[in-house]
Amino acid sequence: FIHFFVALSWLFLGRWVVLLWPLLLIKCVPLDCQDEQSCPSISQEKLLDRVIQHAELIYRVSEDSCTLFEEMFVPFPLRLQSNQAGYACITKALPIPSSRSEIQQISDQYLLHSVLMLVRSWIEPLVYLQTTLERYDNAPDLLLNKTKWLSEKLLSLEQGVLVLITKMLNEGMVSTSYSDPSLVQYDMQLDMLESIMRDYTLFNCFKKDAHKMEAFLKLLKCRQTNNCA
């Protein structure tokens, strides 16, 4: 019984560590570049490391948020349907490489611009998720706070990627938005279950795209250091 209690205590403690560590770590690795002039002392290598850390945190929090939303709101028989909802992802129409061979062949320039396309395509949907979650009767504060955190950090990631484009590619600050209004169309008249499944699809799709952002940036890092396994 004592061993069971100790194991249960560690399980509970571990759960809270998983929930809280991104919020603690992000304070240690700030990404405060609004433009190249605001972070002149940061080397290109350190800036890339910070951007990668930012992307890693965004992916892990998105994964945790998706799981939390699923456990709270999605009926178990419907959870498997998310694996078949890839066609519904709002970024499906973007010219983003998906296969391993395509990704390996694209240039550093296109890697960075692909990350920027993904980031900017999710800024509006994450704001929408914040709004729609507030209409749920029993949405936990933890989920609301995580969604808000993701929205804020995605904007920071956008700024970091823009500065990387300036530093690494010698390009001016990219001001053109990749957001296509036709990609984001919400029907506010859905019934509750349809609304839940729509939001569930958004969480799942964002999690997948956040993983792509992280993977693209890590590929860029290994190319820069000539250390691609």
Side-chain angles (χ1 to χ4, degrees), residues 15 64-76 79 133 136-144 192 196 200 203:
R15 174 63 175 170
D64 192 51
S65 299
C66 186
T67 300
L68 183 58
F69 183 87
E70 181 181 80
E71 293 173 349
M72 287 290 302
F73 300 110
V74 182
F76 185 78
R79 294 179 186 180
L133 285 175
Y136 284 56
D137 292 336
N138 54 342
D141 288 341
L142 182 61
L143 182 59
L144 294 172
M192 193 59 190
I196 288 173
Y200 184 42
F203 272 114

Side-chain angles (χ1 to χ4, degrees), residues 32-132:
D32 299 322
C33 296
Q34 297 301 319
D35 51 47
E36 189 175 11
Q37 286 70 38
S38 64
C39 52
S41 62
I42 302 177
S43 68
Q44 176 180 303
E45 181 181 3
K46 288 184 178 179
L47 178 60
L48 179 56
D49 287 340
R50 289 190 184 186
V51 170
I52 289 173
Q53 290 172 338
H54 228 66
E56 287 175 339
L57 289 171
I58 287 173
Y59 169 61
R60 296 192 184 195
V61 176
S62 71
E63 190 175 37
D64 192 51
S65 299
C66 186
T67 300
L68 183 58
F69 183 87
E70 181 181 80
E71 293 173 349
M72 287 290 302
F73 300 110
V74 182
F76 185 78
L78 298 179
R79 294 179 186 180
L80 296 178
Q81 292 186 12
S82 67
N83 296 326
Q84 304 170 359
Y87 68 90
C89 289
I90 60 174
T91 54
K92 183 175 177 61
L94 294 177
I96 304 292
S98 55
S99 69
R100 180 181 294 270
S101 60
E102 288 178 327
I103 294 170
Q104 294 293 340
Q105 292 173 11
I106 63 176
S107 65
D108 292 354
Q109 179 184 32
Y110 203 78
L111 274 176
L112 276 174
H113 281 282
S114 293
V115 173
L116 188 60
M117 277 191 278
L118 289 170
V119 168
R120 287 182 162 174
S121 294
W122 277 104
I123 290 174
E124 182 181 340
L126 284 184
V127 172
Y128 157 78
L129 272 176
Q130 290 183 67
T131 302
T132 191

Side-chain angles (χ1 to χ4, degrees), residues 180-197:
D180 182 349
S182 65
L183 298 178
V184 187
Q185 297 179 355
Y186 305 120
D187 182 358
M188 304 303 291
Q189 303 303 317
L190 298 177
D191 64 31
M192 193 59 190
L193 181 58
E194 290 175 326
S195 180
I196 288 173
M197 294 308 295

Side-chain angles (χ1 to χ4, degrees), residues 1-15:
F1 178 81
I2 294 177
H3 289 301
F4 172 77
F5 179 79
V6 171
L8 186 62
S9 298
W10 274 108
L11 180 62
F12 178 81
L13 179 61
R15 174 63 175 170

